[in-house]
Amino acid sequence: MERKVRVRFAPSPTGPLHIGGVRTALYNYLFAKKNGGDFLLRVEDTDQTRFVPGAEEYIIESLKWLGISPDEGQGFNDGPYGPYRQSERKPMYRQYADQLIESGHAYYAFDTAEELDTMRDTLKANGMSPQYDAVSRMSMKNSLTLSSDEVQKRLDAGDPYVIRIKLPRKEEVRFHDIIRGWVVVHTNAMDDKVLFKSDGMPTYHLANVVDDYLMKISHVIRGEEWLPSAPLHVMLYRYLGWEDVMPEFAHLPLILKPDGNGKLSKRDGDRLGFPVFPLNWTDPKTGELSSGYRDAGYFPEAVVNILAFLGWHPADNRELFELEELVQEFSLERVSKSGAKFDVQKAFWFNQQYLRNKTDEELASALQPFLDKEGVQVDKSYLNQVCRLMKEKVSFIHEIYQEGRYFFEPAANWDSALIQKKFKDFTPSVLADLKDAIESSDSFTKETIEHLFHAIVEEKNGRKSGEMMLAFRLSVSGVAGGPPIFDMIAVMGKEATLRNMNAFLSFYQGISAN
Ligand code: GLU
C-alpha cells in the first residue's frame, strides 16, 4: 500500500529561526501539498539548557506570515499524534530506551565529565579519534564493564547515568538520500551517542526518531547539518524494529554567504545589509536586535519565492512563482546537492517584481502604516496615484515615501552644488516664466503642463526642452530623479507645484547673491 506522505518541520526553540530553517519548512510544506500529504510542526525542546523564551512563538508567527501553515502541530491544529512539543511528550520516550537496553542495543554509562575528558584526551594524544565507541567503551564505567550487581547498586542509589546506543565495531550503515543518493558510513567512525540523559529527558536523536515513528512521518526533509546524524537514526530504526517504516531522507544543501565560502550567518547579513531572519527578533538576554524580512519591508510572497530558489530550480527558466505555483512545480529531485549562494541583489529584484504586480490600491494600503508612523496624512486617491507613479522606481514599499517625499511635504534642502553646476544664465528666468504660465493657466493636467513647458521653453525663450528639464524637476520636487516629470507634476497638483517653485526661486536668489 502507498504510504501517506507526512512530513514535519522540527525546529528547536533556541533563538530566532534562521532563513535556512524557514527554507526547510517551506520545502516540507511544498512537498506535502504537492503529494496530497500532511505537514506537521513539532517543537524539539528536549535540551532545556538551550531553551529561549519567545522562540517558539517566533517560529509560529514566521510560518503564519509566510502562509506556510502546518496541518497539524504546535500553535496550529491539534491532530491525532499530539502533543507536538517534545517536553510534553517526556513520558513517552523512556520505554524505547528501556527496550533498547533489554535487546542489548543500549547500555547504562556512569562516567563523570572528568572521566570522559580524560578518555578523549588520551585518545587524541594517541592520534585516535576521541570517540566513545566499541573499543573505548570497554575501559569506561558502564553496564558493559561493571558487574550487574554493581550496575544495579548504582541505579538503586540514584547515581547519575546516561543511556548510550551500543554500535557494532565494524559495520557499514547504508541509506538512500533522495538528494544525495546512497550514503555509506562505517560504524568505526561513529560514536555511541547518548540517547537518554541524566535529567530524565531523551536526547535529540532518540526523541526525533521515536516521534517520527509515532507521528507516521514518511519523509525526513531537513538541513545538511543533520546528515552526520542520519546513520545513527538508521541504526535506531533498525534496533527498535521499525526498519520497514523508516522515513525516506532528503538532506537540503546549505545556504552559503553571498561572498566567499561557508554558511550564511547573521554577521553576513549585518555586513551586507540584508536580513537572515524572517521577522525582527530582540534577544531576551542581551537586547540585541536582529532584523527580519517582514520588518525590512519584504512581501511574504517574495520571501517564499527567494527561499524556494535557494537550492531548487523549476523545469524551465521561469523565476516568479507564487506559493500555489511552487506547489505544482516542486520536486525533491530538482533540489541540488551543492550549497546555494544567497544573492542580495536578486532578493531586491524579487521584491521589486512582487511590488510591481500589486495594484495601486494594494500598495497604498501597504504604505499607509509607514505614513502613519511619519505622521503624514494624505487622501486615499492621491496615495493611489503616487503609488502608480512610484512603483516602477522602487524595490520596497517604504521607498515610495523615502524617495518620493516631495509628494508628501514641501520641497526643501536643494542641492546648491548641483544647481550651480547645472544652471545656465538663462535658467532662472525661464523657470520664472514657466511658473507664471502655470499660475495663470486654468487647466492643470499632464497634457497642459507639457504643452506649457514646450511653449515657454522653446517658443517664448528659444531654448531646447532638454536644457530645462532638470531645472524644472529640481524646482518642483527638490531632487533630480523620479517618475516621468509631467505625470509627477500633474499628481502633485497646481498648489504644491507653485509653492515649491516659488520656494525654489527664493532659494536660488539666496545662493546666487552670495
Ligand atoms: N531539532 C532539529 C533542528 O533543530 C531537527 C532536525 C531534524 O529535522 O531532524 O533542526
Side-chain angles (χ1 to χ4, degrees):
M1 198 182 70
E2 268 284 293
R3 204 171 168 194
K4 170 145 200 207
V5 165
R6 283 176 58 81
V7 295
R8 84 303 191 270
F9 177 48
S12 298
T14 54
L17 187 59
H18 182 277
I19 53 164
V22 183
R23 185 200 54 179
T24 300
L26 174 64
Y27 285 16
N28 273 284
Y29 173 91
L30 296 176
F31 184 76
K33 298 297 133 191
K34 167 88 189 217
N35 294 290
D38 300 327
F39 170 50
L40 281 71
L41 174 64
R42 183 173 74 223
V43 174
E44 300 209 325
D45 58 347
T46 53
D47 190 350
Q48 313 253 283
T49 59
R50 297 180 64 217
F51 176 79
V52 172
E56 181 185 300
E57 292 76 4
Y58 180 97
I59 293 164
I60 293 167
E61 200 182 335
S62 301
L63 299 185
K64 284 188 178 156
W65 178 61
L66 291 164
I68 48 177
S69 292
D71 303 289
E72 279 169 40
Q74 191 60 33
F76 293 88
N77 306 322
D78 244 351
Y81 302 96
Y84 295 90
R85 197 192 270 137
Q86 285 185 329
S87 56
E88 287 170 24
R89 301 171 66 81
K90 190 174 165 186
M92 300 188 189
Y93 303 111
R94 178 66 201 228
Q95 57 177 302
Y96 299 103
D98 288 342
Q99 181 189 330
L100 289 168
I101 291 185
E102 272 153 37
S103 61
H105 294 302
Y107 57 93
Y108 298 105
F110 301 95
D111 317 282
T112 62
E114 295 77 57
E115 287 164 341
L116 288 169
D117 285 345
T118 312
M119 179 267 278
R120 294 195 183 106
D121 290 346
T122 316
L123 286 173
K124 267 196 255 173
N126 289 308
M128 289 189 276
S129 80
Q131 286 176 170
Y132 202 113
D133 62 12
V135 177
S136 62
R137 70 187 173 217
M138 296 319 288
S139 49
M140 302 302 287
K141 285 203 184 68
N142 52 51
S143 54
L144 304 173
T145 57
L146 302 172
S147 71
S148 46
D149 282 355
E150 172 73 14
V151 170
Q152 201 50 55
K153 223 168 72 198
R154 283 173 179 257
L155 292 177
D156 292 343
D159 281 7
Y161 67 87
V162 297
I163 298 174
R164 288 180 181 272
I165 189 169
K166 185 180 170 212
L167 290 176
R169 182 161 179 203
K170 277 190 188 156
E171 212 176 291
E172 256 184 20
V173 187
R174 290 168 71 83
F175 65 94
H176 186 261
D177 184 284
I178 299 174
I179 296 166
R180 275 142 223 281
W182 284 98
V183 178
V184 184
V185 180
H186 293 265
T187 52
N188 62 13
M190 290 167 67
D191 208 71
D192 280 356
K193 281 272 190 280
V194 173
L195 303 177
F196 211 84
K197 294 175 288 184
S198 42
D199 63 2
M201 277 292 225
T203 58
Y204 153 70
H205 301 292
L206 182 69
N208 184 271
V209 166
V210 165
D211 284 345
D212 282 347
Y213 168 75
L214 294 177
M215 295 180 178
K216 297 204 164 35
I217 297 302
S218 64
H219 296 76
V220 166
I221 305 168
R222 61 184 172 193
E224 183 179 302
E225 62 274 30
W226 301 102
L227 186 61
S229 301
L232 176 73
H233 297 176
V234 170
M235 291 306 271
L236 281 172
Y237 278 100
R238 187 178 305 168
Y239 289 164
L240 287 163
W242 301 335
E243 236 175 339
D244 56 331
V245 289
M246 185 167 86
E248 287 192 58
F249 290 100
H251 287 92
L252 307 174
L254 291 178
I255 299 181
L256 305 173
K257 49 178 91 236
D259 50 1
N261 297 316
K263 198 171 150 182
L264 177 70
S265 73
K266 168 166 153 39
R267 251 178 301 135
D268 300 313
D270 295 342
R271 187 168 54 87
L272 299 166
F274 66 93
V276 297
F277 302 108
L279 319 174
N280 273 6
W281 165 263
T282 307
D283 188 298
K285 275 213 191 92
T286 62
E288 190 198 355
L289 177 82
S290 304
S291 71
Y293 280 88
R294 183 181 65 185
D295 311 77
Y298 283 83
F299 296 111
E301 312 91 285
V303 175
V304 161
N305 207 148
I306 292 166
L307 293 180
F309 272 71
L310 281 171
W312 170 86
H313 62 88
D316 57 20
N317 292 330
R318 250 180 82 196
E319 291 189 288
L320 294 176
F321 287 87
E322 303 245 355
L323 194 57
E324 262 318 299
E325 300 168 307
L326 286 170
V327 167
Q328 296 314 314
E329 284 297 308
F330 188 77
S331 84
L332 286 172
E333 281 68 31
R334 281 204 302 275
V335 173
S336 72
K337 268 205 269 287
S338 48
K341 251 193 198 323
F342 188 89
D343 182 340
V344 189
Q345 292 311 320
K346 195 77 195 189
F348 292 164
W349 180 85
F350 271 115
N351 206 63
Q352 189 181 47
Q353 302 309 308
Y354 281 90
L355 190 145
R356 287 184 186 172
N357 282 334
K358 300 227 181 265
T359 63
D360 305 337
E361 290 73 19
E362 285 169 331
L363 294 175
S365 359
L367 182 57
Q368 195 59 57
F370 288 94
L371 297 181
D372 291 344
K373 226 169 41 202
E374 299 291 332
V376 175
Q377 279 183 356
V378 285
D379 181 78
K380 215 172 161 94
S381 76
Y382 177 74
L383 195 54
N384 289 345
Q385 293 180 63
V386 171
C387 290
R388 169 173 59 84
L389 292 186
M390 289 300 284
K391 71 176 169 194
E392 297 298 322
K393 297 275 151 197
V394 298
S395 302
F396 296 94
I397 277 287
H398 54 268
E399 290 173 349
I400 295 182
Y401 174 66
Q402 285 168 352
E403 292 180 19
R405 279 181 181 262
Y406 44 88
F407 284 115
F408 307 102
E409 54 206 46
N413 304 322
W414 283 277
D415 177 350
S416 31
L418 177 71
I419 290 163
Q420 265 149 356
K421 196 168 138 215
K422 297 282 180 191
F423 274 38
K424 303 275 184 323
D425 295 344
F426 60 82
T427 317
S429 69
V430 181
L431 268 184
D433 269 1
L434 201 48
K435 191 205 69 177
D436 293 343
I438 291 173
E439 204 153 23
S440 44
S441 162
D442 291 335
S443 149
F444 194 83
T445 63
K446 176 187 165 189
E447 289 73 25
T448 34
I449 308 158
E450 187 163 4
H451 178 79
L452 276 181
F453 179 83
H454 291 295
I456 300 295
V457 174
E458 291 161 22
E459 288 155 35
K460 178 154 186 244
N461 285 283
R463 293 290 162 190
K464 293 204 192 79
S465 48
E467 290 176 302
M468 285 304 296
M469 274 303 182
L470 177 68
F472 189 30
R473 184 186 280 283
L474 274 174
S475 71
V476 178
S477 72
V479 292
I485 184 167
F486 301 114
D487 294 280
M488 175 189 92
I489 292 174
V491 167
M492 285 176 73
K494 186 166 174 174
E495 199 185 314
T497 301
L498 290 172
R499 174 199 64 205
N500 289 356
M501 288 185 88
N502 276 319
F504 176 76
L505 289 167
S506 336
F507 169 83
Y508 186 78
Q509 258 175 5
I511 55 169
S512 54
N514 291 327

